[in-house]
Amino acid sequence: GNSVTQMEGPVTLSEEAFLTINCTYTATGYPSLFWYVQYPGEGLQLLLKATKADDKGSNKGFEATYRKETTSFHLEKGSVQVSDSAVYFCALSDQNTGGFKTIFGAGTRLFVKA
Amino acid sequence: NAGVTQTPKFQVLKTGQSMTLQCAQDMNHEYMSWYRQDPGMGLRLIHYSVGAGITDQGEVPNGYNVSRSTTEDFPLRLLSAAPSQTSVYFCASSYLGLEETQYFGPGTRLLVL
């Protein structure tokens, strides 16, 4: 079945450091890929997405490229800020007999120190 | 727009009690879903619906029932609560389509004693 695997956290960085959070997936079809972010005490919200191979999603300085050959969608940011501290979830949406399903990874908690 | 709303925010139940978690959206989304979030497990899909009158099971449906009588509402029922159902529950909605963004409610924190 479909699955999403992302690196375990927590990840602790100093402000202005480079961030990478790895995400790999397995899917039977041609999924869309997403990164969602969850700030403390809140629900998830979309950070970025990519809907086909080689697409790059970007938002708020974060980027991720849909790599079909390596089944990956790694999240990167060149210079993190304290306000980026949150939990990041990689997700995919794929077809199934009932329509489609979105499957989430386990989440990676990021702490950014001033 | 209020977006996706969930009630209650927090609930304590005793083992064996029943309750309904409410979810409503005002964006005319066809797709609605329920997830539970547990430490180290991420979000796991409980049930989902692609439109009024249509529901289907997700990864972890046991112990939960849903119905979708209107486009706006998608309640989740716990028939006989168990401690293993202690979790944070999120409702989400979106337009139909693989590329569509899901919009999440603020969550309901449930504690089963």
Side-chain angles (χ1 to χ4, degrees), chain A residues 6-101:
Chain A
Q6 59 183 107
M7 63 188 288
E8 288 191 30
V11 174
T12 303
L13 296 172
S14 296
E15 214 167 17
E16 299 183 3
F18 185 86
L19 169 71
T20 300
I21 300 178
N22 290 338
C23 172
T24 58
Y25 67 91
T26 58
T28 53
Y30 299 91
S32 293
L33 302 175
F34 304 81
W35 278 99
Y36 285 85
V37 59
Q38 183 180 32
Y39 298 103
E42 299 183 10
L44 279 71
Q45 56 186 275
L46 178 72
L47 180 59
L48 54 84
K49 66 181 178 182
T51 59
K52 61 183 188 297
D54 299 325
D55 268 2
K56 178 187 283 188
S58 61
N59 186 26
K60 300 181 182 177
F62 291 89
E63 292 183 341
T65 301
Y66 188 162
R67 301 280 188 209
K68 197 170 190 307
E69 64 276 13
T70 54
T71 60
S72 65
F73 193 54
H74 305 319
L75 182 68
E76 295 182 337
K77 186 174 185 182
S79 176
V80 293
Q81 306 299 312
V82 172
S83 57
D84 294 327
S85 297
V87 181
Y88 293 82
F89 292 91
C90 186
L92 71 81
S93 288
D94 199 4
Q95 292 285 146
N96 75 331
T97 52
F100 69 94
K101 288 183 184 178

Side-chain angles (χ1 to χ4, degrees), chain A residues 1-4 26-34 36 90-104, chain B residues 31-35 43-50 55-61 94-100 102:
Chain A
N2 295 345
S3 66
V4 175
T26 58
T28 53
Y30 299 91
S32 293
L33 302 175
F34 304 81
Y36 285 85
C90 186
L92 71 81
S93 288
D94 199 4
Q95 292 285 146
N96 75 331
T97 52
F100 69 94
K101 288 183 184 178
T102 299
I103 304 295
F104 286 82
Chain B
Y31 185 85
M32 296 186 75
S33 54
W34 277 102
Y35 295 88
L43 273 74
R44 292 182 291 169
L45 183 64
I46 305 172
H47 286 284
Y48 65 100
S49 168
V50 296
T55 64
D56 204 350
Q57 296 181 350
E59 302 171 74
V60 288
S94 73
Y95 292 112
L96 281 178
L98 296 184
E99 72 282 5
E100 297 295 337
Q102 291 203 58

Side-chain angles (χ1 to χ4, degrees), chain B residues 25-109:
Chain B
Q25 53 91 10
D26 62 357
M27 296 174 279
N28 204 30
H29 287 163
E30 302 96 338
Y31 185 85
M32 296 186 75
S33 54
W34 277 102
Y35 295 88
R36 58 177 290 172
Q37 183 178 31
D38 302 294
M41 306 284 290
L43 273 74
R44 292 182 291 169
L45 183 64
I46 305 172
H47 286 284
Y48 65 100
S49 168
V50 296
I54 306 169
T55 64
D56 204 350
Q57 296 181 350
E59 302 171 74
V60 288
N62 292 344
Y64 307 94
N65 275 358
V66 291
S67 59
R68 183 98 178 268
S69 55
T70 67
T71 299
E72 294 78 18
D73 301 297
F74 191 45
L76 179 72
R77 297 184 188 84
L78 283 70
L79 302 178
S80 178
S84 61
Q85 294 177 305
T86 292
S87 187
V88 181
Y89 292 85
F90 288 101
C91 178
S93 73
S94 73
Y95 292 112
L96 281 178
L98 296 184
E99 72 282 5
E100 297 295 337
T101 299
Q102 291 203 58
Y103 294 85
F104 284 80
T108 294
R109 188 174 295 274

